[in-house]
mmCIF file of all heavy atoms in Angstrom:
data_model
loop_
_atom_site.group_PDB
_atom_site.id
_atom_site.type_symbol
_atom_site.label_atom_id
_atom_site.label_comp_id
_atom_site.label_asym_id
_atom_site.label_seq_id
_atom_site.Cartn_x
_atom_site.Cartn_y
_atom_site.Cartn_z
ATOM 1 N N GLN A 555 -15.108 12.695 -3.511
ATOM 2 C CA GLN A 555 -16.263 12.608 -4.402
ATOM 3 C C GLN A 555 -16.164 11.336 -5.329
ATOM 4 O O GLN A 555 -17.117 10.704 -5.529
ATOM 5 C CB GLN A 555 -16.337 13.848 -5.347
ATOM 6 C CG GLN A 555 -17.645 13.974 -6.059
ATOM 7 C CD GLN A 555 -18.878 14.103 -5.151
ATOM 8 O OE1 GLN A 555 -18.839 14.876 -4.080
ATOM 9 N NE2 GLN A 555 -19.915 13.236 -5.376
ATOM 10 N N ARG A 569 -15.162 -3.115 -4.666
ATOM 11 C CA ARG A 569 -14.165 -2.701 -3.605
ATOM 12 C C ARG A 569 -13.517 -1.401 -3.953
ATOM 13 O O ARG A 569 -13.283 -1.112 -5.140
ATOM 14 C CB ARG A 569 -13.081 -3.805 -3.460
ATOM 15 C CG ARG A 569 -13.631 -5.177 -2.979
ATOM 16 C CD ARG A 569 -14.124 -5.064 -1.558
ATOM 17 N NE ARG A 569 -14.506 -6.435 -1.061
ATOM 18 C CZ ARG A 569 -15.754 -6.860 -1.107
ATOM 19 N NH1 ARG A 569 -16.689 -6.157 -1.719
ATOM 20 N NH2 ARG A 569 -16.042 -8.139 -0.626
ATOM 21 N N ALA A 583 -1.298 21.301 5.170
ATOM 22 C CA ALA A 583 -1.147 21.715 6.587
ATOM 23 C C ALA A 583 -1.463 20.587 7.472
ATOM 24 O O ALA A 583 -2.226 19.699 7.141
ATOM 25 C CB ALA A 583 -1.957 22.963 6.950
ATOM 26 N N PRO A 602 -17.129 -1.418 5.982
ATOM 27 C CA PRO A 602 -16.084 -2.393 6.340
ATOM 28 C C PRO A 602 -15.917 -3.509 5.244
ATOM 29 O O PRO A 602 -14.873 -4.094 5.122
ATOM 30 C CB PRO A 602 -16.566 -3.005 7.641
ATOM 31 C CG PRO A 602 -18.002 -2.795 7.630
ATOM 32 C CD PRO A 602 -18.218 -1.439 6.941
ATOM 33 N N THR A 621 10.120 3.237 15.720
ATOM 34 C CA THR A 621 11.052 2.318 15.131
ATOM 35 C C THR A 621 11.449 2.724 13.755
ATOM 36 O O THR A 621 12.634 2.567 13.312
ATOM 37 C CB THR A 621 10.392 0.885 15.061
ATOM 38 O OG1 THR A 621 9.962 0.559 16.360
ATOM 39 C CG2 THR A 621 11.400 -0.123 14.545
ATOM 40 N N PRO A 629 6.840 15.230 13.374
ATOM 41 C CA PRO A 629 6.966 14.837 14.744
ATOM 42 C C PRO A 629 5.887 15.487 15.544
ATOM 43 O O PRO A 629 5.472 14.870 16.569
ATOM 44 C CB PRO A 629 8.329 15.361 15.076
ATOM 45 C CG PRO A 629 8.702 16.414 14.066
ATOM 46 C CD PRO A 629 8.033 15.951 12.793
ATOM 47 N N ILE A 637 -1.665 7.101 18.044
ATOM 48 C CA ILE A 637 -2.844 6.662 18.683
ATOM 49 C C ILE A 637 -3.982 6.247 17.666
ATOM 50 O O ILE A 637 -4.615 5.221 17.910
ATOM 51 C CB ILE A 637 -3.419 7.764 19.636
ATOM 52 C CG1 ILE A 637 -2.421 7.982 20.793
ATOM 53 C CG2 ILE A 637 -4.826 7.443 20.207
ATOM 54 C CD1 ILE A 637 -2.768 9.194 21.727
ATOM 55 N N TRP A 666 13.321 -9.822 -3.649
ATOM 56 C CA TRP A 666 13.029 -9.736 -2.196
ATOM 57 C C TRP A 666 12.554 -11.118 -1.626
ATOM 58 O O TRP A 666 12.970 -11.571 -0.574
ATOM 59 C CB TRP A 666 11.970 -8.703 -1.958
ATOM 60 C CG TRP A 666 11.644 -8.568 -0.506
ATOM 61 C CD1 TRP A 666 12.289 -7.841 0.489
ATOM 62 C CD2 TRP A 666 10.457 -9.155 0.104
ATOM 63 N NE1 TRP A 666 11.625 -7.964 1.623
ATOM 64 C CE2 TRP A 666 10.483 -8.813 1.457
ATOM 65 C CE3 TRP A 666 9.292 -9.852 -0.295
ATOM 66 C CZ2 TRP A 666 9.488 -9.163 2.435
ATOM 67 C CZ3 TRP A 666 8.375 -10.341 0.582
ATOM 68 C CH2 TRP A 666 8.430 -9.926 1.877
ATOM 69 N N HIS A 684 2.539 -18.040 -4.266
ATOM 70 C CA HIS A 684 2.091 -16.873 -4.918
ATOM 71 C C HIS A 684 0.492 -16.757 -4.928
ATOM 72 O O HIS A 684 -0.018 -15.712 -5.005
ATOM 73 C CB HIS A 684 2.573 -16.953 -6.361
ATOM 74 C CG HIS A 684 4.035 -16.638 -6.587
ATOM 75 N ND1 HIS A 684 4.596 -16.559 -7.742
ATOM 76 C CD2 HIS A 684 5.021 -16.520 -5.638
ATOM 77 C CE1 HIS A 684 5.884 -16.327 -7.582
ATOM 78 N NE2 HIS A 684 6.173 -16.387 -6.279
ATOM 79 N N ARG A 714 20.294 0.331 3.743
ATOM 80 C CA ARG A 714 21.419 -0.564 3.827
ATOM 81 C C ARG A 714 21.154 -1.999 3.615
ATOM 82 O O ARG A 714 22.037 -2.840 3.657
ATOM 83 C CB ARG A 714 22.173 -0.343 5.112
ATOM 84 C CG ARG A 714 22.678 1.004 5.415
ATOM 85 C CD ARG A 714 23.469 1.067 6.734
ATOM 86 N NE ARG A 714 23.977 2.408 6.998
ATOM 87 C CZ ARG A 714 24.634 2.753 8.044
ATOM 88 N NH1 ARG A 714 24.856 1.932 9.004
ATOM 89 N NH2 ARG A 714 25.146 3.980 8.218
ATOM 90 N N LEU A 733 6.806 -11.369 -10.458
ATOM 91 C CA LEU A 733 6.370 -12.640 -10.087
ATOM 92 C C LEU A 733 5.356 -13.260 -11.052
ATOM 93 O O LEU A 733 4.326 -12.605 -11.407
ATOM 94 C CB LEU A 733 5.563 -12.541 -8.730
ATOM 95 C CG LEU A 733 6.458 -11.907 -7.545
ATOM 96 C CD1 LEU A 733 5.613 -11.869 -6.284
ATOM 97 C CD2 LEU A 733 7.678 -12.799 -7.356
ATOM 98 N N VAL A 740 0.255 -1.068 -7.583
ATOM 99 C CA VAL A 740 0.969 -0.341 -6.647
ATOM 100 C C VAL A 740 0.896 1.138 -6.765
ATOM 101 O O VAL A 740 0.324 1.597 -7.726
ATOM 102 C CB VAL A 740 2.509 -0.767 -6.788
ATOM 103 C CG1 VAL A 740 2.645 -2.323 -6.688
ATOM 104 C CG2 VAL A 740 3.086 -0.328 -8.150
ATOM 105 N N ASP A 751 2.055 -2.111 -17.321
ATOM 106 C CA ASP A 751 3.073 -2.932 -18.063
ATOM 107 C C ASP A 751 2.675 -4.424 -17.813
ATOM 108 O O ASP A 751 3.106 -4.978 -16.753
ATOM 109 C CB ASP A 751 4.446 -2.658 -17.685
ATOM 110 C CG ASP A 751 5.515 -3.435 -18.523
ATOM 111 O OD1 ASP A 751 5.104 -4.141 -19.407
ATOM 112 O OD2 ASP A 751 6.708 -3.276 -18.222
#
Side-chain angles (χ1 to χ4, degrees):
Q555 194 61 48
R569 298 290 183 268
T621 307
I637 292 172
W666 179 79
H684 290 186
R714 296 182 178 180
L733 301 179
V740 303
D751 185 0

